[in-house]
DNA sequence: TCAATAGGGGAAAAATTTATCCCTACGTGA
DNA sequence: TCACGTAGGGATAAATTTTTCCCCTATTGA
């Protein structure tokens, strides 16, 4: 595993939440787990743009940060289910607020984001 | 400037807000600008762990995403002031929600984050 | 003249995160 | 036997972000 060389800042609430939510797919993972998509393969189907590998890595971080729990059923073929911890559940309203703002401003956001990506379309 | 090779996903609200808020210092920049710290040098003093360079880069992105405006006063020595656009102001409650969650769970977050950074302290 | 403050940016290195590729294990159904 | 589904991980490459270093303009004060 990669070992950080620069320690993160943990000064304020924004630093702290950033530390656990920063990761390309983490918020979406929490979201889908909250919606009831618990198994790794389900999550991978829900987030097809991410590879299995990254999802596993980010799920493990979420688990280490105590936002999700991983339950392993000793059956064959293997079965694993993730769910939000009580702590993780307290994040749901925050994620909802993020998603709502994005949805409410969808058009404008899409415009400014694409504008910045393709500066030629002045 | 770096040019992306992989296009971002812009499917849902979470993708969209992620695209404009992703960046190590962006949320803090918005926060301090909202609090009235408008000049680049003030922001640099407020966020001493970031270099001038990154702050400039991220401020420019925030500007291109229409979350902040940059006003240049034609005086010597130069004077520049950032402020939130109306659009940017609509993000304030969302950022507040993030910061509050982090503040409310400060102890626990600090614990789990440090635990993961130094696994030897089992 | 030198240092400090104000604002900025290019180039390259370093850090960090994601993606790619390949491998393990077991059981089921064709 | 072969392919597929389930779950997961190591090694390495590629992408992306952030840092470092250096340079420019102009004024003020020591």
């Amino acid at each position: 595993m990669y070992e950080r060389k620069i320690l993160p800042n943990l000064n304020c609430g924004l630093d702290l939440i950033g530390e656990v939510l920063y990761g390309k797919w983490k918020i979406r993972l929490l979201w889908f787990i909250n919606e009831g998509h618990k198994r790794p393969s389900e999550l991978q189907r829900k987030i097809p743009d991410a590879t299995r590998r990254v999802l596993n890595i980010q799920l493990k971080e979420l688990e280490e940060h105590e936002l999700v729990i991983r339950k392993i059923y000793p059956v064959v073929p293997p079965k694993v289910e993730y769910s939000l911890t009580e702590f993780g559940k307290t994040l749901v309203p925050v994620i909802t607020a993020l998603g709502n703002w994005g949805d409410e401003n969808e058009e404008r956001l899409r415009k400014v984001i694409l504008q910045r990506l393709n500066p030629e379309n002045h």
Side-chain angles (χ1 to χ4, degrees), chain A residues 1-9 18-19 22 61 65:
Chain A
M1 206 209 324
Y2 181 76
E3 204 171 312
R4 277 171 186 272
K5 296 185 181 167
I6 296 178
L7 293 180
N9 307 77
E19 199 57 28
Y22 222 71
E61 288 179 11
H65 286 147

Side-chain angles (χ1 to χ4, degrees), chain A residues 35-85:
Chain A
E35 280 191 329
H37 304 282
K38 299 167 167 303
R39 302 184 63 178
S41 50
E42 282 182 274
L43 292 168
Q44 284 162 13
R45 277 190 290 268
K46 277 286 171 187
I47 314 178
D49 295 304
T51 58
R52 291 175 303 169
R53 193 80 178 88
V54 212
L55 293 185
N56 286 340
I57 291 170
Q58 305 211 344
L59 282 165
K60 192 168 191 179
E61 288 179 11
L62 291 173
E63 194 193 355
E64 290 173 333
H65 286 147
E66 300 182 3
L67 296 171
V68 304
I69 311 180
R70 177 162 169 271
K71 253 187 225 150
I72 308 133
Y73 294 83
V75 294
V76 165
K79 177 174 175 182
V80 167
E81 277 187 358
Y82 288 94
S83 50
L84 297 189
T85 59

Side-chain angles (χ1 to χ4, degrees), chain A residues 31 91-105:
Chain A
W31 188 250
L91 253 181
V92 172
V94 180
I95 296 178
T96 305
L98 290 168
N100 284 346
W101 187 84
D103 286 334
E104 286 158 16
N105 299 285

Side-chain angles (χ1 to χ4, degrees), chain A residues 8-16:
Chain A
N9 307 77
L10 303 177
N11 305 312
C12 63
L14 286 175
D15 287 331
L16 292 164

Side-chain angles (χ1 to χ4, degrees), chain A residues 15 27 32 52 77 87 89 94:
Chain A
D15 287 331
I27 294 184
F32 287 126
R52 291 175 303 169
F87 186 34
K89 285 179 190 165
V94 180

